[in-house]
Amino acid sequence: MGTSFPKSKTLYIFSFLALFIASFSSHSQAFANETLAQCLIDHSQPSHPITSSIYTPTNSSFSFVLQSYIRNLRFNTSSTPKPALILTALHESHVQAAIICARKLSVEMKIRSGGHDYEGISYVSISLPFFILDMLNFRSVDVDIEAETAWVQAGATLGEVYYGIAATSKVHGFPAGVCPTVGVGGHFSGGGV
Ligand SMILES: Cc1cc2nc3c(=O)[nH]c(=O)nc-3n(C[C@H](O)[C@H](O)[C@H](O)COP(=O)(O)OP(=O)(O)OC[C@H]3O[C@@H](n4cnc5c(N)ncnc54)[C@H](O)[C@@H]3O)c2cc1C
């Protein structure tokens, strides 16, 4: 009855559509990166510049920053969804800016401290675009032996906490994980085996 559509034409249209969709999604991803980066800059304090903490896929250090805290290599493949941006916050105001922009632009924010999440939850997402707030620069360990307390930042590792305490006291300690590179942020907030 109806005229059959030539196979080559169908193939041509499909290829064109696929190309169009691919180019559209890469453009919209680039747009998302730029909007997010601009939002972070707009919501940071000039006294604490944020620009040097922002890594987008066009930055030559992006892969290095992303991979250095991926502890489960199953999520370190070329097909693993990648964040639109990584923010290695240097100041508390950067964390505030990240939360404001995540809400404002409805972009999912992943928080990473030591990166030991077995399921990659701190650096992988199926909802795109997403970005990582990396706490690696927040790693101070202040021990007050008189008060028998320690003030520890989220990006410190368990090993750094043990070392900080051991450096100030021969009798004090803190029981957490065996693995010294597990992050305080993920362990203290409910991780741990
Ligand atoms: C190789 C390996 C060895 C391990 N060894 C031990 C061990 O010896 N003892 C033990 O008890 N456990 C161990 N674990 C488990 C570990 O405690 C948990 O996976 C823990 O959640 C990791 O914390 P993280 O900060 O390193 O991980 P991340 O991947 O950074 O974070 C884990 C989760 O916590 C969230 N999170 C991280 N930081 C913050 C923050 N600042 N605020 C809010 N949410 C945050 C992340 O979004 C993610 O959902 C090990 C895991 C691995 C992969």
Side-chain angles (χ1 to χ4, degrees), residues 69 71-72 110-118 120-123 135 154-155 158 176-193:
Y69 274 66
R71 306 293 189 187
N72 185 343
K110 295 288 184 174
I111 309 176
R112 183 165 72 173
S113 289
H116 274 71
D117 193 295
Y118 283 114
I121 286 175
S122 57
Y123 50 85
M135 304 299 284
L158 297 184
V178 173
C179 178
T181 54
V182 165
V184 160
H187 193 285
F188 291 16
S189 62
V193 182

Side-chain angles (χ1 to χ4, degrees), residues 15-188:
S15 322
F16 177 77
L17 263 175
L19 233 126
F20 176 75
I21 291 166
S23 104
F24 179 77
S25 68
S26 77
H27 272 97
S28 63
Q29 181 71 24
F31 178 74
N33 298 353
E34 205 168 298
T35 314
L36 185 54
Q38 193 54 52
C39 179
L40 292 170
I41 293 165
D42 292 346
H43 288 87
S44 62
Q45 300 164 3
S47 51
H48 298 287
I50 201 169
T51 322
S52 63
S53 328
I54 296 174
Y55 294 85
T56 57
T58 53
N59 187 300
S60 56
S61 301
F62 177 82
S63 297
F64 175 75
V65 175
L66 176 65
Q67 288 166 6
S68 29
Y69 274 66
I70 293 183
R71 306 293 189 187
N72 185 343
L73 298 182
R74 184 176 290 182
F75 300 111
N76 193 15
T77 68
S78 54
S79 59
T80 308
K82 303 285 183 290
L85 181 151
I86 305 168
L87 177 67
T88 57
L90 291 164
H91 186 258
E92 282 80 356
S93 61
H94 298 172
V95 176
Q96 292 166 340
I99 295 167
I100 291 169
C101 294
R103 292 196 66 170
K104 199 172 172 194
L105 303 172
S106 297
V107 182
E108 190 175 346
M109 181 177 88
K110 295 288 184 174
I111 309 176
R112 183 165 72 173
S113 289
H116 274 71
D117 193 295
Y118 283 114
E119 287 150 340
I121 286 175
S122 57
Y123 50 85
V124 181
S125 176
I126 45 166
S127 86
L128 295 172
F130 71 100
F131 75 103
I132 298 175
L133 168 62
D134 206 317
M135 304 299 284
L136 87 163
N137 292 317
F138 288 88
R139 54 198 318 146
S140 71
V141 177
D142 295 314
V143 181
D144 183 345
I145 282 299
E146 290 289 301
E148 298 189 303
T149 59
W151 190 254
V152 180
Q153 288 190 315
T157 62
L158 297 184
E160 287 165 346
V161 176
Y162 302 153
Y163 185 87
I165 297 171
T168 48
S169 166
K170 290 205 183 316
V171 294
H172 290 81
F174 185 82
V178 173
C179 178
T181 54
V182 165
V184 160
H187 193 285
F188 291 16

